[in-house]
mmCIF file of all heavy atoms in Angstrom:
data_model
loop_
_atom_site.group_PDB
_atom_site.id
_atom_site.type_symbol
_atom_site.label_atom_id
_atom_site.label_comp_id
_atom_site.label_asym_id
_atom_site.label_seq_id
_atom_site.Cartn_x
_atom_site.Cartn_y
_atom_site.Cartn_z
ATOM 1 N N MET F 1 145.069 181.089 96.090
ATOM 2 C CA MET F 1 146.369 181.463 96.678
ATOM 3 C C MET F 1 146.991 182.625 95.897
ATOM 4 O O MET F 1 146.829 182.749 94.671
ATOM 5 C CB MET F 1 147.279 180.236 96.741
ATOM 6 C CG MET F 1 147.929 179.810 95.463
ATOM 7 S SD MET F 1 149.439 180.759 95.053
ATOM 8 C CE MET F 1 149.884 179.939 93.490
ATOM 9 N N ILE F 2 147.723 183.434 96.647
ATOM 10 C CA ILE F 2 148.535 184.501 96.062
ATOM 11 C C ILE F 2 149.893 184.473 96.791
ATOM 12 O O ILE F 2 149.936 184.388 98.055
ATOM 13 C CB ILE F 2 147.906 185.881 96.259
ATOM 14 C CG1 ILE F 2 146.570 185.980 95.484
ATOM 15 C CG2 ILE F 2 148.880 186.980 95.777
ATOM 16 C CD1 ILE F 2 145.822 187.253 95.773
ATOM 17 N N ARG F 3 151.003 184.510 96.058
ATOM 18 C CA ARG F 3 152.322 184.568 96.628
ATOM 19 C C ARG F 3 153.072 185.793 96.086
ATOM 20 O O ARG F 3 153.178 185.905 94.867
ATOM 21 C CB ARG F 3 153.108 183.288 96.322
ATOM 22 C CG ARG F 3 152.479 182.002 96.889
ATOM 23 C CD ARG F 3 152.574 181.971 98.381
ATOM 24 N NE ARG F 3 152.008 180.743 98.933
ATOM 25 C CZ ARG F 3 150.760 180.595 99.342
ATOM 26 N NH1 ARG F 3 149.961 181.627 99.259
ATOM 27 N NH2 ARG F 3 150.321 179.450 99.803
ATOM 28 N N VAL F 4 153.563 186.591 96.982
ATOM 29 C CA VAL F 4 154.306 187.807 96.545
ATOM 30 C C VAL F 4 155.723 187.745 97.167
ATOM 31 O O VAL F 4 155.847 187.475 98.375
ATOM 32 C CB VAL F 4 153.619 189.059 97.017
ATOM 33 C CG1 VAL F 4 154.371 190.289 96.551
ATOM 34 C CG2 VAL F 4 152.192 189.115 96.493
ATOM 35 N N TYR F 5 156.715 187.976 96.356
ATOM 36 C CA TYR F 5 158.122 187.994 96.832
ATOM 37 C C TYR F 5 158.757 189.246 96.280
ATOM 38 O O TYR F 5 158.704 189.532 95.060
ATOM 39 C CB TYR F 5 158.867 186.756 96.392
ATOM 40 C CG TYR F 5 160.333 186.772 96.808
ATOM 41 C CD1 TYR F 5 160.673 186.481 98.112
ATOM 42 C CD2 TYR F 5 161.317 187.038 95.891
ATOM 43 C CE1 TYR F 5 162.017 186.504 98.508
ATOM 44 C CE2 TYR F 5 162.661 187.025 96.220
ATOM 45 C CZ TYR F 5 162.997 186.763 97.550
ATOM 46 O OH TYR F 5 164.293 186.808 97.946
ATOM 47 N N MET F 6 159.443 190.001 97.161
ATOM 48 C CA MET F 6 160.136 191.186 96.734
ATOM 49 C C MET F 6 161.481 191.274 97.486
ATOM 50 O O MET F 6 161.541 191.225 98.729
ATOM 51 C CB MET F 6 159.338 192.462 97.028
ATOM 52 C CG MET F 6 157.961 192.532 96.385
ATOM 53 S SD MET F 6 156.952 193.893 96.944
ATOM 54 C CE MET F 6 157.917 195.275 96.354
ATOM 55 N N ASP F 7 162.596 191.425 96.709
ATOM 56 C CA ASP F 7 163.912 191.527 97.346
ATOM 57 C C ASP F 7 164.889 191.989 96.253
ATOM 58 O O ASP F 7 164.543 192.073 95.075
ATOM 59 C CB ASP F 7 164.322 190.216 97.985
ATOM 60 C CG ASP F 7 165.345 190.406 99.072
ATOM 61 O OD1 ASP F 7 165.932 191.533 99.181
ATOM 62 O OD2 ASP F 7 165.587 189.469 99.836
ATOM 63 N N MET F 8 166.128 192.240 96.690
ATOM 64 C CA MET F 8 167.109 192.699 95.763
ATOM 65 C C MET F 8 167.630 191.539 94.897
ATOM 66 O O MET F 8 167.817 190.425 95.384
ATOM 67 C CB MET F 8 168.296 193.339 96.519
ATOM 68 C CG MET F 8 167.923 194.536 97.332
ATOM 69 S SD MET F 8 167.136 195.830 96.357
ATOM 70 C CE MET F 8 168.502 196.230 95.208
ATOM 71 N N LYS F 9 167.832 191.830 93.610
ATOM 72 C CA LYS F 9 168.516 190.923 92.734
ATOM 73 C C LYS F 9 169.602 191.780 92.045
ATOM 74 O O LYS F 9 169.338 192.486 91.082
ATOM 75 C CB LYS F 9 167.559 190.340 91.702
ATOM 76 C CG LYS F 9 168.215 189.326 90.743
ATOM 77 C CD LYS F 9 167.220 188.633 89.863
ATOM 78 C CE LYS F 9 166.473 187.546 90.587
ATOM 79 N NZ LYS F 9 165.667 186.665 89.720
ATOM 80 N N GLY F 10 170.800 191.652 92.585
ATOM 81 C CA GLY F 10 171.873 192.567 92.135
ATOM 82 C C GLY F 10 171.520 193.976 92.566
ATOM 83 O O GLY F 10 171.070 194.215 93.690
ATOM 84 N N PRO F 11 171.620 194.959 91.625
ATOM 85 C CA PRO F 11 171.318 196.332 91.985
ATOM 86 C C PRO F 11 169.880 196.715 91.797
ATOM 87 O O PRO F 11 169.455 197.893 91.943
ATOM 88 C CB PRO F 11 172.213 197.115 91.007
ATOM 89 C CG PRO F 11 172.219 196.259 89.787
ATOM 90 C CD PRO F 11 172.238 194.847 90.284
ATOM 91 N N GLN F 12 169.012 195.767 91.434
ATOM 92 C CA GLN F 12 167.649 196.007 91.130
ATOM 93 C C GLN F 12 166.673 195.339 92.102
ATOM 94 O O GLN F 12 167.013 194.333 92.722
ATOM 95 C CB GLN F 12 167.259 195.593 89.698
ATOM 96 C CG GLN F 12 168.164 196.262 88.628
ATOM 97 C CD GLN F 12 167.718 195.827 87.242
ATOM 98 O OE1 GLN F 12 166.888 196.506 86.630
ATOM 99 N NE2 GLN F 12 168.296 194.754 86.773
ATOM 100 N N LEU F 13 165.447 195.933 92.257
ATOM 101 C CA LEU F 13 164.445 195.298 93.102
ATOM 102 C C LEU F 13 163.686 194.298 92.246
ATOM 103 O O LEU F 13 163.153 194.641 91.167
ATOM 104 C CB LEU F 13 163.483 196.335 93.629
ATOM 105 C CG LEU F 13 162.310 195.789 94.480
ATOM 106 C CD1 LEU F 13 162.855 195.218 95.810
ATOM 107 C CD2 LEU F 13 161.283 196.848 94.727
ATOM 108 N N TYR F 14 163.603 193.052 92.713
ATOM 109 C CA TYR F 14 162.894 192.002 92.008
ATOM 110 C C TYR F 14 161.509 191.824 92.670
ATOM 111 O O TYR F 14 161.390 191.726 93.858
ATOM 112 C CB TYR F 14 163.653 190.668 92.104
ATOM 113 C CG TYR F 14 162.945 189.477 91.586
ATOM 114 C CD1 TYR F 14 162.712 189.302 90.223
ATOM 115 C CD2 TYR F 14 162.486 188.491 92.469
ATOM 116 C CE1 TYR F 14 162.048 188.179 89.748
ATOM 117 C CE2 TYR F 14 161.814 187.375 92.006
ATOM 118 C CZ TYR F 14 161.622 187.197 90.667
ATOM 119 O OH TYR F 14 160.935 186.105 90.173
ATOM 120 N N ILE F 15 160.457 191.829 91.864
ATOM 121 C CA ILE F 15 159.087 191.649 92.315
ATOM 122 C C ILE F 15 158.485 190.476 91.582
ATOM 123 O O ILE F 15 158.542 190.387 90.345
ATOM 124 C CB ILE F 15 158.236 192.921 92.044
ATOM 125 C CG1 ILE F 15 158.818 194.151 92.686
ATOM 126 C CG2 ILE F 15 156.776 192.688 92.492
ATOM 127 C CD1 ILE F 15 158.096 195.424 92.289
ATOM 128 N N SER F 16 157.933 189.547 92.366
ATOM 129 C CA SER F 16 157.279 188.367 91.753
ATOM 130 C C SER F 16 155.875 188.239 92.354
ATOM 131 O O SER F 16 155.728 188.174 93.583
ATOM 132 C CB SER F 16 158.092 187.093 92.009
ATOM 133 O OG SER F 16 157.362 185.963 91.599
ATOM 134 N N PHE F 17 154.865 188.201 91.512
ATOM 135 C CA PHE F 17 153.462 187.924 91.860
ATOM 136 C C PHE F 17 153.021 186.617 91.217
ATOM 137 O O PHE F 17 153.067 186.564 90.001
ATOM 138 C CB PHE F 17 152.555 189.045 91.405
ATOM 139 C CG PHE F 17 152.281 190.103 92.458
ATOM 140 C CD1 PHE F 17 153.238 191.037 92.739
ATOM 141 C CD2 PHE F 17 151.059 190.202 93.117
ATOM 142 C CE1 PHE F 17 152.998 192.074 93.666
ATOM 143 C CE2 PHE F 17 150.822 191.142 94.078
ATOM 144 C CZ PHE F 17 151.790 192.113 94.345
ATOM 145 N N THR F 18 152.600 185.659 92.012
ATOM 146 C CA THR F 18 152.056 184.433 91.464
ATOM 147 C C THR F 18 150.665 184.187 92.109
ATOM 148 O O THR F 18 150.551 184.304 93.309
ATOM 149 C CB THR F 18 152.973 183.193 91.759
ATOM 150 O OG1 THR F 18 154.225 183.425 91.137
ATOM 151 C CG2 THR F 18 152.351 181.929 91.197
ATOM 152 N N ASN F 19 149.698 183.895 91.289
ATOM 153 C CA ASN F 19 148.387 183.640 91.795
ATOM 154 C C ASN F 19 147.768 182.436 91.096
ATOM 155 O O ASN F 19 148.094 182.109 89.935
ATOM 156 C CB ASN F 19 147.445 184.839 91.636
ATOM 157 C CG ASN F 19 147.269 185.254 90.146
ATOM 158 O OD1 ASN F 19 147.992 186.122 89.706
ATOM 159 N ND2 ASN F 19 146.282 184.627 89.474
ATOM 160 N N ALA F 20 146.967 181.713 91.832
ATOM 161 C CA ALA F 20 146.196 180.616 91.222
ATOM 162 C C ALA F 20 145.200 181.235 90.227
ATOM 163 O O ALA F 20 144.760 182.391 90.356
ATOM 164 C CB ALA F 20 145.435 179.858 92.290
ATOM 165 N N ALA F 21 144.928 180.457 89.189
ATOM 166 C CA ALA F 21 144.014 180.931 88.128
ATOM 167 C C ALA F 21 143.257 179.749 87.572
ATOM 168 O O ALA F 21 143.696 178.605 87.698
ATOM 169 C CB ALA F 21 144.853 181.608 87.046
ATOM 170 N N PRO F 22 142.110 179.978 86.926
ATOM 171 C CA PRO F 22 141.387 178.896 86.303
ATOM 172 C C PRO F 22 142.277 178.122 85.359
ATOM 173 O O PRO F 22 143.159 178.653 84.727
ATOM 174 C CB PRO F 22 140.217 179.617 85.541
ATOM 175 C CG PRO F 22 140.057 180.866 86.321
ATOM 176 C CD PRO F 22 141.408 181.268 86.764
ATOM 177 N N ALA F 23 142.071 176.775 85.277
ATOM 178 C CA ALA F 23 142.872 175.926 84.445
ATOM 179 C C ALA F 23 142.843 176.373 83.009
ATOM 180 O O ALA F 23 141.868 176.941 82.531
ATOM 181 C CB ALA F 23 142.398 174.477 84.588
ATOM 182 N N GLY F 24 143.957 176.085 82.291
ATOM 183 C CA GLY F 24 144.010 176.472 80.909
ATOM 184 C C GLY F 24 144.996 177.626 80.730
ATOM 185 O O GLY F 24 144.890 178.648 81.438
ATOM 186 N N LYS F 25 145.948 177.512 79.889
ATOM 187 C CA LYS F 25 146.971 178.516 79.632
ATOM 188 C C LYS F 25 146.351 179.672 78.881
ATOM 189 O O LYS F 25 145.702 179.497 77.820
ATOM 190 C CB LYS F 25 148.138 177.914 78.840
ATOM 191 C CG LYS F 25 149.294 178.850 78.733
ATOM 192 C CD LYS F 25 150.519 178.120 78.162
ATOM 193 C CE LYS F 25 151.714 179.050 78.025
ATOM 194 N NZ LYS F 25 152.875 178.328 77.543
ATOM 195 N N ARG F 26 146.527 180.933 79.390
ATOM 196 C CA ARG F 26 146.036 182.097 78.718
ATOM 197 C C ARG F 26 146.946 182.454 77.538
ATOM 198 O O ARG F 26 148.111 182.251 77.563
ATOM 199 C CB ARG F 26 145.955 183.256 79.680
ATOM 200 C CG ARG F 26 144.945 183.080 80.790
ATOM 201 C CD ARG F 26 145.047 184.120 81.859
ATOM 202 N NE ARG F 26 144.829 185.450 81.316
ATOM 203 C CZ ARG F 26 144.989 186.578 82.013
ATOM 204 N NH1 ARG F 26 145.393 186.498 83.292
ATOM 205 N NH2 ARG F 26 144.718 187.775 81.526
ATOM 206 N N ARG F 27 146.258 182.991 76.484
ATOM 207 C CA ARG F 27 147.003 183.374 75.247
ATOM 208 C C ARG F 27 147.027 184.911 75.142
ATOM 209 O O ARG F 27 146.093 185.580 75.485
ATOM 210 C CB ARG F 27 146.357 182.772 74.052
ATOM 211 C CG ARG F 27 146.265 181.268 74.076
ATOM 212 C CD ARG F 27 147.613 180.592 73.988
ATOM 213 N NE ARG F 27 147.503 179.128 74.028
ATOM 214 C CZ ARG F 27 148.526 178.332 74.049
ATOM 215 N NH1 ARG F 27 149.741 178.753 73.991
ATOM 216 N NH2 ARG F 27 148.319 177.016 74.092
ATOM 217 N N LYS F 28 148.178 185.418 74.668
ATOM 218 C CA LYS F 28 148.284 186.833 74.497
ATOM 219 C C LYS F 28 147.553 187.309 73.245
ATOM 220 O O LYS F 28 147.431 186.594 72.237
ATOM 221 C CB LYS F 28 149.765 187.261 74.375
ATOM 222 C CG LYS F 28 150.553 187.079 75.638
ATOM 223 C CD LYS F 28 151.987 187.574 75.465
ATOM 224 C CE LYS F 28 152.764 187.487 76.740
ATOM 225 N NZ LYS F 28 154.160 187.974 76.579
ATOM 226 N N LYS F 29 147.040 188.540 73.316
ATOM 227 C CA LYS F 29 146.436 189.179 72.147
ATOM 228 C C LYS F 29 147.025 190.557 72.012
ATOM 229 O O LYS F 29 146.968 191.357 72.928
ATOM 230 C CB LYS F 29 144.921 189.296 72.343
ATOM 231 C CG LYS F 29 144.169 187.961 72.340
ATOM 232 C CD LYS F 29 142.679 188.174 72.488
ATOM 233 C CE LYS F 29 141.950 186.805 72.473
ATOM 234 N NZ LYS F 29 140.498 186.972 72.625
ATOM 235 N N GLY F 30 147.658 190.825 70.864
ATOM 236 C CA GLY F 30 148.280 192.102 70.669
ATOM 237 C C GLY F 30 149.459 192.350 71.637
ATOM 238 O O GLY F 30 149.719 193.455 72.022
#
C-alpha cells in the first residue's frame, strides 16, 4: 500500500507519503 496526502497546513503545503515496508524499524546512518 501507498498513501499520499497533500493539502494546505496554514500558509504551507503539507505533503505526506506513507508506504508499507518490510517489518522491522529502520535505523538512520549518518
Side-chain angles (χ1 to χ4, degrees):
M1 75 86 180
I2 297 173
R3 298 290 182 267
V4 181
Y5 177 77
M6 300 173 64
D7 204 346
M8 299 303 296
K9 181 172 282 191
Q12 301 185 91
L13 178 68
Y14 172 71
I15 302 173
S16 172
F17 265 75
T18 299
N19 60 267
K25 188 172 182 177
R26 294 170 61 186
R27 303 292 180 183
K28 290 183 179 181
K29 293 182 180 180

